[in-house]
């Protein structure tokens, strides 16, 4: 899993995000361009690291970073080389790749039962993934299956295709927040509907002004033009108009691309102006839209009889009028549908942004303590921050609401020792609940006036219902770290996860 830490480069310090601790085979599993001699050997040592090209530019500018040193967690590491930035549609985006031994001992790495690592397996061509998965499960059960069975915990390891993770995976503990294929389908459908509205508008406008082109058609037919030639002319006009629209769209996208990431709060790599995209996607799509939009006007206008049109008559236009009415009705229905959907999404977002979470999230700033030294001096830091005018309260916590990833097995009072309940644990200080403005359901918050609070815990209502307790105060929960007595019961309203502290 990626780490975050302060990275010292000469006299400068950076907040390093996406620090991946791996073994020596990382670049053999992920076939991405690497600059540096023998990456497998270098990455096998805890003294060497690799930087992504973007991170190397951030730290060293245009200098070659190979051979330079950086400092992470009080360890001086030599840069062995750089690797190409992972594409935006990848499920991982490492910035720094170092050896696992940078933080973990040999015993910790060889211990079974830890779930803090992500294991990638590259299969040989023609390998049976199901057979490999069965062997992995057998090995897992032989090693630690009985231990988890005795605890009443069931884990079933399985293989997951890497190319399905980015859009099709939403498991607990993902390396990064993934995308969603349904979102792509929805926005693609909206884009197609808007294109249909534009094409229908063109059809309506072209057939509505048929009288202004009737004489042109009559004269050209009298001069020898055939129906097919006229149809090609009108189709050509439609395609030219589509190409002009494409140019305008690309220019607008180019100028608006710096604004979109801030507007959408996401990094967006448009990368529009590549030959492959222009000739393989944009031009064919534009020509198809032009042909579809101009198909009926070309057929309708090229069908005029020359004698009738030269007399100022255009014949029976009832079919054109009926088609225009149908297209207008469809456009209206699509527009109403898009407006309703937009309002629904807006209402849902407003609900998400303003719903009662059980604590006050306004005017709260989070300051990550990215080094061990900073974490050990949290009390001193609190004291310094409280002296700043305008600061009301300061608290320390292992994680913040909505991003609690410290899972642990607990045995509640009244449960058999084999009935382990996996819950999320958050370690906090005495001022945490006051700082976030949490509301108590029953009991009280932590207090320095009660020395027993050092071994006390607070659970939320979800955990209380899960345990089947009518009154949680005074009961105990037991974990591998010891036994905790519940002196109070705290409710985080509508919180997604059961928490024990």
């Amino acid at each position: 899993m990626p780490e975050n830490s302060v990275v010292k480069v000469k006299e400068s310090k950076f907040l390093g995000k996406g620090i991946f601790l791996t073994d020596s085979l990382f670049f053999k599993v992920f076939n991405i361009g690497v600059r540096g001699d023998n990456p497998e050997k270098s990455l096998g040592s805890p003294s060497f690291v690799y930087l992504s090209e973007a991170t190397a530019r951030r730290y060293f500018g245009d200098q070659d970073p190979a051979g330079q040193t950086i400092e992470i967690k009080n360890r001086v590491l030599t840069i062995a080389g750089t690797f190409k930035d992972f594409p935006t549609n990848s499920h991982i985006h490492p910035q720094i790749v170092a050896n696992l031994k940078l933080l973990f001992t040999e015993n910790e790495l060889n211990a079974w039962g830890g779930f803090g690592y992500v294991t990638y397996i590259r299969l040989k061509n023609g390998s049976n993934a199901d057979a490999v998965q069965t062997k992995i499960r057998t090995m897992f059960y032989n090693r630690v299956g009985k231990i988890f069975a005795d605890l009443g915990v069931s884990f079933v390891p399985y293989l997951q295709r890497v190319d399905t993770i980015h859009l099709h995976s939403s498991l607990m503990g993902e390396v990064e927040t993934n995308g969603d294929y349904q979102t792509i389908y929805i926005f693609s459908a909206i884009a197609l509907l808007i294109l249909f509205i534009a094409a229908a508008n063109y059809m309506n406008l072209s057939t509505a002004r048929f009288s202004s082109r009737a004489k042109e058609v009559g004269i050209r037919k009298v001069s020898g033009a055939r129906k097919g030639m006229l149809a090609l002319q009108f189709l050509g006009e439609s395609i030219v108009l589509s190409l002009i629209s494409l140019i305008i769209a690309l220019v607008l996208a180019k100028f608006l691309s710096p604004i979109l990431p801030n507007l959408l709060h996401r990094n967006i790599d448009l990368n529009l102006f590549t030959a492959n995209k222009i000739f393989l996607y944009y031009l064919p799509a534009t020509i198809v839209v032009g042909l579809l939009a101009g198909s009926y006007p070309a057929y309708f206008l090229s069908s005029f009889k020359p004698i009738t049109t030269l007399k100022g008559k255009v014949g029976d236009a009832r079919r054109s009028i009926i088609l225009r009415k149908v297209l207008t009705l469809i456009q209206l229905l699509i527009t109403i549908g898009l407006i309703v959907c937009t309002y629904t999404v807006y209402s849902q977002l407003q609900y998400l942004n303003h719903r009662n979470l059980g604590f006050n999230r306004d005017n709260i700033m989070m300051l990550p303590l990215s080094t061990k030294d900073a974490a050990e001096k949290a009390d001193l830091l609190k004291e310094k921050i409280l002296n700043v005018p305008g600061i009301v309260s300061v608290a320390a916590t292992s994680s913040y609401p909505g991003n609690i990833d410290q899972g642990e097995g607990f045995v509640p009072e009244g449960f058999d020792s084999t009935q382990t309940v996996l819950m999320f644990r958050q370690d906090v200080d005495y001022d945490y609940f006051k700082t976030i403005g949490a509301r108590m359901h029953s009991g009280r918050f932590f207090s320095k006036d009660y020395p027993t609070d050092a071994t006390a815990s607070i659970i939320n209502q979800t955990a209380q219902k899960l345990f089947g307790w009518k009154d949680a105060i005074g009961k105990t929960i037991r974990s591998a770290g010891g036994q905790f007595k519940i002196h109070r019961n705290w409710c985080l309203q509508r919180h997604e996860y059961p928490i024990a502290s």
Side-chain angles (χ1 to χ4, degrees), residues 334-455:
I334 293 174
T335 303
I336 293 173
L338 290 176
I339 292 173
V340 171
C341 291
T342 302
Y343 177 76
T344 302
V345 172
Y346 174 77
S347 300
Q348 290 295 313
L349 291 175
Q350 289 295 104
Y351 171 73
L352 290 174
N353 290 327
H354 297 93
R355 69 172 180 168
N356 183 10
L357 299 176
F359 64 93
N360 182 15
R361 61 184 178 181
D362 296 330
N363 301 321
I364 294 180
M365 182 178 69
M366 187 189 73
L367 179 64
L369 303 181
S370 301
T371 64
K372 182 179 179 181
D373 184 55
E376 291 175 347
K377 297 178 180 178
D379 291 336
L380 178 61
L381 181 62
K382 283 180 59 176
E383 183 180 340
K384 295 290 185 181
I385 294 176
L386 282 171
N387 293 328
V388 177
I391 301 296
V392 177
S393 178
V394 181
T397 174
S398 60
S399 53
Y400 55 92
N403 191 38
I404 301 170
D405 56 4
Q406 186 177 351
E408 190 171 345
F410 289 88
V411 180
E413 181 179 319
F415 281 50
D416 187 84
S417 60
T418 61
Q419 294 177 296
T420 304
V421 180
L422 183 63
M423 299 198 301
F424 288 94
R425 168 177 173 165
Q426 181 180 12
D427 299 318
V428 302
D429 67 6
Y430 291 100
D431 299 315
Y432 175 74
F433 295 106
K434 179 183 72 173
T435 301
I436 68 171
R439 283 174 283 184
M440 181 62 68
H441 176 260
S442 61
R444 60 175 177 80
F445 292 131
F446 293 127
S447 174
K448 295 180 181 178
D449 298 332
Y450 298 87
T452 54
D453 281 2
T455 57

Side-chain angles (χ1 to χ4, degrees), residues 356-360 401-402 404 426 432-433 436 438-441 459-462 489-497 499:
N356 183 10
L357 299 176
F359 64 93
N360 182 15
I404 301 170
Q426 181 180 12
Y432 175 74
F433 295 106
I436 68 171
R439 283 174 283 184
M440 181 62 68
H441 176 260
I459 64 174
N460 65 7
Q461 282 184 307
T462 302
N489 179 21
W490 168 57
C491 167
L492 245 181
Q493 295 180 6
R494 292 193 177 96
H495 204 282
E496 294 294 333
Y497 305 107
I499 309 168

Side-chain angles (χ1 to χ4, degrees), residues 33-269:
V34 183
R35 293 180 58 188
D37 296 333
N38 200 341
E40 186 174 333
K41 180 180 179 181
S42 299
L43 200 53
S45 168
S47 301
F48 292 93
V49 295
Y50 281 82
L51 306 183
S52 69
E53 292 180 347
T55 303
R57 287 192 298 269
R58 181 185 174 201
Y59 292 170
F60 299 100
D62 295 329
Q63 298 180 22
D64 184 4
Q68 304 269 15
T69 59
I70 60 176
E71 186 177 325
I72 301 177
K73 296 185 180 295
N74 298 322
R75 294 279 300 273
V76 177
L77 306 172
T78 302
I79 300 172
T82 60
F83 58 91
K84 289 187 176 297
D85 298 326
F86 277 61
T88 54
N89 60 350
S90 171
H91 75 288
I92 59 172
H93 297 90
Q95 297 182 10
I96 300 175
V97 176
N99 190 280
L100 281 161
K101 295 177 183 177
L102 178 66
L103 290 183
F104 300 100
T105 64
E106 196 72 36
N107 290 336
E108 289 174 326
L109 293 176
N110 292 329
W112 287 81
F115 294 92
Y117 313 103
V118 178
T119 303
Y120 293 93
I121 301 172
R122 178 181 284 274
L123 301 179
K124 293 182 179 179
N125 292 333
S127 298
N128 188 323
D130 292 334
V132 174
Q133 179 175 271
T134 301
K135 291 182 179 180
I136 291 174
R137 288 179 178 176
T138 302
M139 178 182 64
F140 179 82
Y141 294 141
N142 291 339
R143 290 282 186 172
V144 293
K146 187 177 183 305
I147 298 174
F148 286 114
D150 292 342
L151 294 174
V153 178
S154 175
F155 287 100
V156 181
Y158 66 94
L159 297 180
Q160 183 181 27
R161 287 178 59 95
V162 170
D163 57 3
T164 65
I165 297 177
H166 176 61
L167 292 178
H168 299 271
S169 180
S170 57
L171 300 175
M172 188 182 300
E174 294 281 5
V175 179
E176 296 180 7
T177 301
N178 291 323
D180 186 0
Y181 72 97
Q182 292 181 337
T183 303
I184 294 178
Y185 290 158
I186 290 171
F187 280 105
S188 298
I190 291 173
L192 290 175
L193 289 174
I194 293 174
L195 269 179
F196 174 80
I197 291 174
N201 269 332
Y202 180 81
M203 289 184 183
N204 280 338
L205 292 174
S206 297
T207 54
R209 54 192 291 266
F210 61 85
S211 58
S212 63
R213 307 204 63 174
K215 289 186 177 180
E216 174 193 344
V217 172
I219 294 173
R220 288 176 64 84
K221 282 195 171 184
V222 170
S223 301
R226 296 181 180 179
K227 180 179 179 179
M229 295 173 58
L230 292 172
L232 287 176
Q233 174 194 338
F234 295 126
L235 285 174
E237 292 175 2
S238 176
I239 292 173
V240 169
L241 191 60
S242 295
L243 291 173
I244 294 173
S245 300
L246 171 65
I247 295 171
I248 295 174
L250 290 175
V251 172
L252 286 175
K254 179 67 176 178
F255 283 103
L256 293 176
S257 57
I259 303 173
L260 287 177
N262 293 329
L263 183 64
L264 301 177
H265 303 289
R266 299 197 65 173
N267 291 326
I268 299 176
D269 183 15

